[in-house]
Amino acid sequence: MNSNIRFVQGNEACVEAALYAGLDFFAGYPITPSTEIAEHLSYRLPEIGGKFIQMEDEIASICAIVGASLTGHKVMTATSGPGFSLMQEGLGYAIMAEIPCVIVNVQRGGPSTGLPTSVSQGDVFQARWGAHGDHSIIALTASNHQDVFSITVEAFNMAETYRTPVILLFDEVIGHMRERLVVPEKGEIALVDRLRTSVKEGVDYHPYLPREDGRLPMSDFGGIHRYNVTGLAHDMWGFPTNNPNIVHGLMRHLVDKIQSHVNTITRYKEFYTQDAECLLISYGSSARSALHVVENRRARGERIGLLELQTLWPFPYAMIREKCDKARHIVVVEMNMGQVVRAVKQAVDRPDRVVLANRIDGSFITPTDIKNILRLIQGKGV
Amino acid sequence: MNIKGYIRERFFPHLWCPGCGHGIVLNSLLRAIDQLGMNKNELVMVSGIGCSSRISGYVDFHSLHTLHGRALAFATGVKLSRPELNVIVPMGDGDALAIGGNHFIHACRRNIAMTAIVMNNRIYGMTGGQFSPLSGYGIQATTAPYGNIDHDFDVVQLSMSAGASFVARTTTYHAKEMIDIFKQAILHDGFSVVEVLSQCPTYFGRRNKMGSAADMMESFKNNTTRIGSKAKEENPNLLERGVFVRKDIPEYCAEYDKIIGNAMKGHK
């Protein structure tokens, strides 16, 4: 029997994946529905010599992981809506100072304390624009535990590749639901390690001077290069500056390093999209109900398909436009008042083709909810 | 001491005003580090936001200039992830005890071996002179034009109550005493807090008619005394200087290493 087969919550799948990816420092604060991630890591990390710390709040949690990342560790924190709001300040810092880290947001109902134990996908735009100022961000999601595993590993890889925080935007259903997970063998999924500078001791190291490919090799705190890290606009030494030319270059770099790699960062899955007249677009746990509808209706000969997004930010506008090209109807299935649907409308020609099938009451969106919208579109009444 | 071995000349001149006490703190700190013979590669200075926090940029250590109030949270991550490093966290009074107050008391309680320095000039200098939680009742500030009705913290009392295992106070007038206290704080195996009374002649002194920088330093001399001195008995209003607490309680990183040892054994 394969001992790698597990029956776990999504939060545990995330933990297993993070450890697989090389996580060895976690700081967090208890919050439903993400707490299991902290609980499992408090047990698992010391087993491998890693560190777990429960901080005084979410602000401190994200700050602590940034500090630990700078000493050369792979780091993560996990939270939900209210905690994610508190983390925006630290998230902005990690963006500005270009610190690799992974932030898990297991979404629950909001705003405010909202519905702590209920599902929602209301933080899509907070993930994109929650931190102040212009910036770019990577946010990934998944609809089942096998994908939670692979996308979590991807999150760590992307954080190292682009020297940036990566957000894992899961939701309560994914976090708490139990299902089968096959933990891949070591080496099955490629891992990206920290890119460290080859500049020798005594030679001037420029921590913020990008190479030709846009990447910035790092040097661990405690190593041979002593440099400054700041959340202020900074020059190639990491020292504060308000020189317009340098600031302009920094802003372009921060945005371009992600936006110019949209194609590489984009992850999605397709089900029966080839000839689909009606294309559902969904992500996270909502995509499970969407897939159910598609498979049911395909069996009856309907030309309906599902595009499941795993990369939410940077938004894959070009891919969406191409996939939606031939569809008569596009239905975005999500558990909020219409967030991804806005981006989809921006992406396609004739945005009047795009409608929303949603649920905003803390209940999981069902196939019936989606079918009701399809009946309206197809002129069959409610 | 070869001062140039410890500073980043490239980034001078510094931004502090003439007469500011923060340069004296930097001076004493570098002398303490020099006298302890510390390895620059093993020194990390983590600071927040404010005039005081710019100190980290000027020193030739690993330097992390972070967010307002959050320096201790960042420092916690640095130290716990790499306990062999020496971590020094200079903060301003508003930085450490208003926006950073929660991180401050929890750092005291957690007892991770690092040194927090509160450079207390009783004012928000970087933003132009607003009252801080250490300004005190009756003080004039740009946001207290009718006089401040906020009461202040006593950093020493607060740190002791919150569980810090080393707590000391000194002033910029007592630069040599400051060197000695910094050395003890850095060598202490636990969380150490050093409050340094520092002068801001530009925003605090001028508005409160305290005279020049030298006058303000003179007042540190006249209004403070060594812990347990005779002068204190005679004048209870004097503020005491020196080391108030030095206790040996389990240090967090060392305790965590024990957890790792147990967890790894359990795994075998």
Side-chain angles (χ1 to χ4, degrees), chain A residues 9 11 31-36 80-82 106-120 171-177 335 361-364:
Chain A
Q9 289 190 327
N11 284 341
I31 185 168
T32 305
S34 77
T35 307
E36 294 83 6
S80 188
V106 186
Q107 296 168 95
R108 68 190 221 186
S112 188
T113 313
L115 294 163
T117 57
S118 301
V119 70
S120 163
D171 58 59
E172 190 275 338
V173 165
I174 293 300
H176 281 161
M177 177 181 66
M335 287 179 283
D361 59 357
S363 308
F364 183 56

Side-chain angles (χ1 to χ4, degrees), chain A residues 38-94:
Chain A
E39 287 178 336
H40 284 281
L41 283 169
S42 71
Y43 184 79
R44 295 291 306 279
L45 274 171
E47 288 182 334
I48 57 160
K51 306 277 172 72
F52 165 92
I53 186 167
Q54 183 169 313
M55 296 299 289
E56 54 271 20
D57 57 29
E58 289 88 348
I59 300 171
S61 301
I62 191 165
C63 295
I65 65 166
V66 167
S69 184
L70 275 166
T71 66
H73 294 82
K74 286 195 177 180
V75 301
M76 182 169 92
T77 185
T79 189
S80 188
F84 191 54
S85 296
L86 288 178
M87 286 184 184
Q88 296 304 323
E89 184 193 33
L91 180 63
Y93 186 90

Side-chain angles (χ1 to χ4, degrees), chain B residues 109-120:
Chain B
R109 166 184 71 78
R110 204 173 273 129
N111 200 37
I112 293 180
M114 49 191 184
T115 300
I117 302 169
V118 182
M119 298 156 75
N120 178 12

Side-chain angles (χ1 to χ4, degrees), chain A residues 47 51-53 56 59 63-64 71 73 89 93 204 221-223 225-230 237 239, chain B residues 8 10-11 40-41 54 60 62-65 70 73-74 77 80-82 103 106 110 252 256 264 267:
Chain A
E47 288 182 334
K51 306 277 172 72
F52 165 92
I53 186 167
E56 54 271 20
I59 300 171
C63 295
T71 66
H73 294 82
E89 184 193 33
Y93 186 90
D204 207 0
F221 267 33
H225 298 294
R226 300 179 300 273
Y227 59 97
N228 192 51
V229 177
T230 179
W237 288 286
F239 204 73
Chain B
R8 292 172 172 149
R10 179 188 287 145
F11 303 129
K40 290 195 288 183
N41 283 346
R54 292 303 182 94
D60 186 23
H62 302 282
S63 60
L64 183 54
H65 178 242
R70 319 294 176 216
F74 282 89
L80 179 59
S81 66
R82 207 154 169 180
H103 308 305
H106 286 277
R110 204 173 273 129
Y252 190 97
Y256 201 92
M264 283 179 146
H267 210 50

Side-chain angles (χ1 to χ4, degrees), chain A residues 80-348:
Chain A
S80 188
F84 191 54
S85 296
L86 288 178
M87 286 184 184
Q88 296 304 323
E89 184 193 33
L91 180 63
Y93 186 90
I95 290 165
M96 185 54 132
E98 303 191 62
I99 311 295
C101 56
V102 174
I103 297 123
V104 185
N105 175 3
V106 186
Q107 296 168 95
R108 68 190 221 186
S112 188
T113 313
L115 294 163
T117 57
S118 301
V119 70
S120 163
Q121 294 171 325
D123 300 347
V124 176
F125 274 82
Q126 194 189 4
R128 178 63 188 90
W129 291 115
H132 62 275
D134 282 311
H135 60 277
S136 200
I137 194 81
I138 299 175
L140 309 172
T141 186
S143 65
N144 63 69
H145 293 7
Q146 207 58 50
D147 287 353
V148 164
F149 192 100
S150 50
I151 212 76
T152 299
V153 176
E154 287 280 6
F156 279 90
N157 286 349
M158 288 181 190
E160 294 296 336
T161 303
Y162 301 105
R163 260 194 83 165
T164 188
V166 176
I167 295 161
L168 284 169
L169 214 49
F170 297 139
D171 58 59
E172 190 275 338
V173 165
I174 293 300
H176 281 161
M177 177 181 66
R178 282 181 192 275
E179 69 177 7
R180 179 183 143 110
L181 169 73
V182 183
V183 177
E185 293 292 339
K186 224 175 168 182
E188 228 173 285
I189 307 179
L191 303 180
V192 176
D193 284 326
R194 175 93 21 121
L195 177 67
R196 290 185 169 86
T197 180
S198 55
V199 171
K200 298 208 165 52
E201 188 164 13
V203 180
D204 207 0
Y205 161 64
H206 302 106
Y208 292 99
L209 183 65
R211 302 196 306 199
E212 254 176 48
D213 62 0
R215 295 187 67 185
L216 296 94
M218 296 181 75
S219 176
D220 297 346
F221 267 33
I224 53 173
H225 298 294
R226 300 179 300 273
Y227 59 97
N228 192 51
V229 177
T230 179
L232 286 164
H234 47 269
D235 60 19
M236 62 185 175
W237 288 286
F239 204 73
T241 181
N242 49 15
N243 176 317
N245 285 332
I246 297 175
V247 174
H248 182 90
L250 173 64
M251 292 302 295
R252 288 261 40 125
H253 162 73
L254 290 178
V255 170
D256 290 351
K257 72 174 182 179
I258 290 170
Q259 294 301 333
S260 62
H261 292 97
V262 172
N263 291 342
T264 327
I265 296 167
T266 297
R267 301 279 183 284
Y268 63 93
K269 294 168 93 172
E270 288 179 275
F271 304 90
Y272 314 102
T273 53
Q274 215 64 30
D275 62 342
E277 284 180 353
C278 179
L279 182 66
L280 305 190
I281 298 179
S282 192
Y283 56 93
S285 63
S286 302
R288 299 172 76 98
S289 290
L291 182 59
H292 185 88
V293 170
V294 166
E295 285 179 336
N296 254 321
R297 297 206 158 198
R298 269 283 162 183
R300 301 198 324 235
E302 252 183 68
R303 287 163 70 177
I304 184 168
L306 169 67
L307 176 62
E308 182 193 334
L309 304 180
Q310 293 183 314
T311 299
L312 294 180
W313 305 112
F315 198 74
Y317 289 101
M319 182 275 284
I320 296 274
R321 185 185 168 87
E322 186 199 319
K323 300 290 177 193
C324 292
D325 191 34
K326 295 203 178 68
R328 287 177 57 199
H329 307 295
I330 299 141
V331 181
V332 178
V333 182
E334 55 183 338
M335 287 179 283
N336 55 49
M337 292 186 82
Q339 299 197 10
V340 163
V341 71
R342 293 194 201 189
V344 171
K345 277 178 181 280
Q346 279 181 352
V348 301

